[in-house]
Amino acid sequence: CSIRGGFGSSIAMNVMVYVTLALGTIIGLVHTFGGLPKLCSAKNTHAFAKVYVVFLGCPGLGTPLRIVIALGEVSAGVAILVGIWADAFDYFEEDMSNLAKCLVIVAGVALMNLAFVASFMHCYIDGAGKACFPGAMAVISLMFVLVRTFGVEPASWEHQMLCMGLCTIMLIITGITVIINKTMGVHESLVKDDNEDPVMGGC
């Protein structure tokens, strides 16, 4: 009985690893290459300075917020790609494997939050059409996080607690963003002209 149970658990574990390899690869590639243009493109420079931070309620923080988000997005994307593939092929020792499993979940939560916020923001500013892609990425990230959390989680208690603590911080940051937008943000009509600037049609 125990042998069969262990074999079944092993199969289930492998299935979840393969599922998260597929989901994580999509997430990692999209955010790695999606974050890079935020560092230098004219469209993103204008959008953050004149549209996004004004709408969210923190005008004047366009450049630092753009750089922090871009670097964080690229870092999290690369971390997921390296973490899931290296761990799947048993490249890491046990302790490093647990740390990788932990940080992959944290990166997934961070990118999920980013995608959800981007989707809601685009829904108000640009309409439902432009909110679809970040919304889809948010759902994919949510699926990735849930499968990793309940199926490919760190084995050690210490890394589980570290994962929980870092994920909680990510959720708190997102909650603060929502509160700032609710209390200090502006109506989408006030950023309409800047949002329709010709530079917004670029890459």
Side-chain angles (χ1 to χ4, degrees):
C1 263
S2 61
I3 294 177
R4 268 203 297 248
F7 181 67
S9 298
S10 177
I11 292 176
M13 176 73 161
N14 286 335
V15 169
M16 287 185 278
V17 168
Y18 294 141
V19 168
T20 58
L21 276 176
L23 295 175
T25 299
I26 295 171
I27 296 165
L29 290 175
V30 167
H31 285 285
T32 298
F33 291 103
L36 290 173
K38 292 184 177 70
L39 290 172
C40 56
S41 76
K43 173 184 176 180
N44 281 286
T45 300
H46 173 85
F48 272 87
K50 301 292 185 180
V51 182
Y52 301 157
V53 295
V54 177
F55 174 76
L56 289 173
C58 44
L61 295 179
T63 297
L65 189 63
R66 173 173 58 83
I67 292 173
V68 168
I69 288 177
L71 292 177
E73 190 173 356
V74 172
S75 300
V78 171
I80 286 177
L81 289 172
V82 173
I84 60 174
W85 283 100
D87 194 47
F89 285 97
D90 294 325
Y91 181 79
F92 298 131
E93 297 293 334
E94 183 179 358
D95 194 56
M96 182 60 72
S97 175
N98 282 322
L99 181 59
K101 287 182 172 72
C102 162
L103 295 181
V104 159
I105 294 172
V106 175
V109 170
L111 293 178
M112 176 188 71
N113 291 350
L114 178 65
F116 271 124
V117 171
S119 180
F120 288 129
M121 184 179 66
H122 282 297
C123 187
Y124 282 105
I125 295 175
D126 302 303
K130 287 193 175 180
C132 288
F133 182 72
M137 290 306 303
V139 172
I140 292 172
S141 298
L142 175 60
M143 293 167 56
F144 174 80
V145 168
L146 289 175
V147 176
R148 294 294 299 194
T149 300
F150 296 106
V152 200
E153 75 279 9
S156 73
W157 182 85
E158 293 83 358
H159 289 99
Q160 290 174 1
M161 292 301 101
L162 175 63
C163 181
M164 183 182 298
L166 293 176
C167 287
T168 300
I169 291 173
M170 297 296 106
L171 294 172
I172 290 173
I173 291 172
T174 304
I176 291 172
T177 302
V178 172
I179 292 171
I180 291 174
N181 177 239
K182 188 72 174 176
T183 57
M184 302 175 65
V186 302
H187 192 269
E188 57 267 24
S189 62
L190 297 179
V191 296
K192 183 174 182 292
D193 290 340
D194 286 314
N195 194 40
E196 293 176 350
D197 190 286
V199 73
M200 293 294 287
C203 297

